[in-house]
């Protein structure tokens, strides 16, 4: 089945090229200035996209598959061309940039002020529109109607809201984790002759 390139995060190809160079998740992560876990997640997405393991562990270390080896020169050429294209851009800050954000209410209250300040510092004339995160927000990101989404996901492996269940072509980053805690007031009971317990 043919896959649309529009659904592939091109940053994954940069990760793939570094993995081919370094033959190590940890070394590639260091060059990208991310955690090894982030590189491992990117590799999982690449494996799913190309339907190939791409790299296998051998007694001599990390070894690329024949498919990965066949892409090495093409990746190098593509990255060189990308660098040349980026070098052609001007220094002027573009006008009329629009940011469509989808945020859950708690995150909207705690994060939006700082986030909007950072946007306006870099793009003074930007237009920022915020939508409440809802059941359709993932599809809105896929359709290109929302640029960035901020939402909570669950860590339980059987949860339908697990991070691992996000579509593989959506790039994400865990900003922070939270653990709900319940506090209970300790109650001491005393026994009455009637056979019942009452709090002291």
């Amino acid at each position: 089945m043919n896959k649309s390139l529009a659904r592939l995060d091109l940053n994954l190809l940069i990760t793939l090229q570094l993995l081919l160079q370094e033959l190590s998740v940890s070394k590639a992560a260091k060059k990208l200035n991310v955690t090894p876990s982030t590189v491992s997640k990117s590799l999982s997405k690449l494996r799913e996209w190309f339907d190939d393991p791409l790299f296998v562990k051998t007694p001599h270390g990390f070894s690329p598959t024949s498919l990965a080896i066949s892409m090495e020169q093409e990746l190098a050429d593509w990255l060189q061309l990308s660098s040349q294209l980026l070098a052609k851009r001007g220094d002027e800050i573009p006008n009329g940039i629009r940011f469509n954000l989808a945020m859950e209410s708690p995150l909207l209250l705690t994060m939006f002020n700082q986030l909007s300040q950072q946007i306006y510092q870099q793009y003074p004339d930007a237009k920022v529109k915020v939508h409440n995160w809802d059941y359709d927000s993932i599809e809105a990101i896929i359709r290109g109607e929302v640029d960035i989404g901020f939402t909570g996901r669950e860590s339980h492996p059987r949860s339908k809201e697990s991070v691992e269940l996000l579509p593989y072509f959506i790039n994400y980053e865990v900003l922070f984790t939270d653990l709900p805690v319940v506090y209970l007031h300790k109650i001491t009971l005393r026994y009455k002759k009637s056979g019942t317990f009452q709090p002291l």
Side-chain angles (χ1 to χ4, degrees):
M1 184 178 76
N2 293 329
K3 297 179 180 179
S4 170
L5 185 61
R7 289 183 172 269
L8 176 65
D9 180 359
L10 297 183
N11 289 319
L12 296 175
L13 297 181
I14 297 174
T15 301
L16 178 57
Q17 199 220 18
L18 281 174
L19 285 170
L20 283 165
Q21 289 177 354
E22 303 296 333
L23 296 179
S24 166
V25 168
S26 58
K27 289 180 180 179
K30 189 173 181 180
K31 283 204 168 184
L32 288 166
N33 197 28
V34 297
T35 64
S37 174
T38 300
V39 173
S40 294
K41 289 175 182 175
S42 296
L43 179 55
S44 295
K45 293 178 182 179
L46 286 163
R47 283 169 167 164
E48 186 172 352
W49 175 269
F50 289 107
D51 194 22
D52 186 88
L54 298 177
F55 298 90
V56 293
K57 290 183 179 179
T58 71
H60 304 290
F62 216 38
S63 178
T65 64
S66 57
L67 176 62
I69 293 172
S70 72
M71 293 189 290
E72 189 168 9
Q73 185 58 50
E74 292 171 335
L75 278 171
D77 293 342
W78 173 76
L79 288 172
Q80 183 178 2
L81 179 60
S82 300
S83 299
Q84 291 172 355
L85 289 172
L86 290 173
K88 293 180 182 293
R89 66 182 184 181
D91 294 329
E92 293 184 3
I93 297 175
N95 294 323
I97 288 184
R98 295 178 178 273
F99 290 90
N100 289 313
L101 311 178
M103 306 181 75
E104 281 192 309
S105 296
L107 298 175
L108 180 60
L109 294 173
T110 59
M111 297 177 59
F112 179 67
N113 187 45
Q114 181 181 358
L115 177 62
S116 61
Q117 287 179 5
Q118 291 176 340
I119 290 174
Y120 289 127
Q121 282 174 3
Q122 189 165 356
Y123 305 102
D125 295 325
K127 306 293 183 183
V128 180
K129 187 174 182 179
V130 182
H131 312 267
N132 285 325
W133 183 275
D134 58 27
Y135 68 92
D136 190 47
S137 292
I138 291 289
E139 290 298 322
I141 291 175
I142 294 172
R143 293 192 300 266
E145 297 168 4
V146 169
D147 301 308
I148 307 175
F150 297 84
T151 184
R153 307 296 286 186
E154 297 176 356
S155 58
H156 194 281
R158 288 184 292 180
S159 171
K160 294 182 179 180
E161 296 297 321
S162 169
V163 166
E164 304 300 330
L165 294 180
L166 286 171
Y168 68 88
F169 46 80
I170 289 184
N171 196 21
Y172 67 88
E173 181 178 349
V174 178
L175 300 179
F176 63 90
T177 58
D178 194 10
L179 181 65
V181 177
V182 176
Y183 292 93
L184 298 176
H185 179 67
K186 184 178 180 180
I187 299 176
T188 303
L189 301 177
R190 67 180 178 187
Y191 181 73
K192 293 183 66 177
K193 290 183 180 180
S194 60
T196 60
F197 289 93
Q198 285 187 337
L200 291 175

